[in-house]
Amino acid sequence: MCSIKVRLAKHRIISQGHPIVFQLIHERKKRIIATPYWAYPEAFDETYQKVVENAKFNISVYKSKKINKYLRDEEAILRNIITRLEEKGRYSVTDIVERYQIFQNGYTLDYLFGILMDELKEQQKMASFYIHKAGLAQIKDVFGQSSIHILEINDRWINTFVEKLRKQALRENTVRLYLRVLKAAYNK
């Protein structure tokens, strides 16, 4: 199990105070994820891991609520990522950070397929290009979504995809082709 703590990075200080960070510890490995917020120790409650109102340091009730909501939301995202990784089995703290960065960057299947199809076009592999284009269209058609976030893809999602393809009476070779196309984009 991974522990998540919200802390002040007290080794760094600028005029706005110390950066507020998430500290992740898993299997004795520690990683830090920075947030866009800063605070002085007097405006940060270490016990409850939250920013508190402090007029001296220009932290209003509104500002403290805004920062704390951001921290709670981001912690929930990190916990969701950890839960998904635990379902898969063994993972590292680096896996958590990488998936969090993917989530923050908003990687979607469209984006990954776009990268892959651009490479195929450059290499003039037009048959593969059109197969990948058809694969993306099929995924969108099956799920009825224009954009699928990369973190939504898990074993359950893939099983649902295969079920829906088989319900369309597609041949097994076609189903496997779409899975290979999905794998190629996912591994990008």
Side-chain angles (χ1 to χ4, degrees):
M1 182 66 183
C2 179
S3 73
I4 302 173
K5 291 185 179 178
V6 179
R7 310 193 82 154
L8 291 180
K10 292 183 180 174
H11 63 281
R12 292 189 59 213
I13 187 165
I14 62 165
S15 62
Q16 300 157 323
H18 302 284
I20 300 172
V21 297
F22 288 102
Q23 176 183 288
L24 307 173
I25 301 175
H26 179 64
E27 294 179 345
R28 297 184 179 191
K29 301 254 189 305
K30 179 169 79 170
R31 293 289 183 275
I32 301 295
I33 297 175
T35 71
Y37 295 106
W38 303 75
Y40 284 97
E42 296 84 358
F44 188 78
D45 186 337
E46 292 276 346
T47 307
Y48 294 103
Q49 301 178 19
K50 67 179 191 172
V51 175
V52 294
E53 176 188 6
N54 191 315
K56 180 180 175 186
F57 295 107
N58 201 22
I59 304 282
S60 65
V61 172
Y62 171 76
K63 188 173 182 181
S64 66
K65 283 183 179 180
K66 177 182 171 187
I67 294 171
N68 290 328
K69 180 182 179 338
Y70 170 84
L71 295 173
R72 280 191 313 273
D73 291 347
E74 296 303 300
E75 185 176 355
I77 291 167
L78 286 166
R79 292 206 185 281
N80 187 13
I81 290 168
I82 291 166
T83 301
R84 287 173 182 246
L85 287 170
E86 285 175 348
E87 288 172 0
K88 288 185 173 184
R90 193 163 173 81
Y91 64 95
S92 69
V93 124
T94 305
D95 295 332
I96 299 167
V97 173
E98 285 174 358
R99 287 186 177 253
Y100 180 74
Q101 289 170 341
I102 287 171
F103 185 84
Q104 294 299 70
N105 293 333
Y107 289 161
T108 62
L109 279 181
D110 286 335
Y111 174 76
L112 295 176
F113 268 91
I115 292 172
L116 185 58
M117 290 189 309
D118 286 346
E119 287 177 8
L120 292 170
K121 232 180 191 177
E122 280 180 20
Q123 297 167 2
Q124 296 181 346
K125 296 181 177 179
M126 297 314 287
S128 292
F129 171 81
Y130 289 115
I131 288 170
H132 284 79
K133 187 174 179 179
L136 179 59
Q138 186 68 33
I139 291 168
K140 288 180 176 183
D141 185 49
V142 164
F143 287 101
Q145 291 177 275
S146 60
S147 177
I148 297 168
H149 199 280
I150 196 71
L151 292 178
E152 291 177 37
I153 299 173
N154 57 23
D155 293 340
R156 191 176 323 138
W157 187 93
I158 291 172
N159 290 336
T160 303
F161 179 56
V162 169
E163 262 179 47
K164 289 182 177 187
L165 289 175
R166 287 183 177 142
K167 283 181 184 176
Q168 292 179 1
L170 295 176
R171 292 190 177 161
E172 196 61 30
N173 284 346
T174 306
V175 172
R176 287 187 186 143
L177 174 68
Y178 287 137
L179 287 174
R180 281 195 308 274
V181 165
L182 176 63
K183 182 180 178 182
Y186 189 83
N187 287 336
K188 250 313 153 199

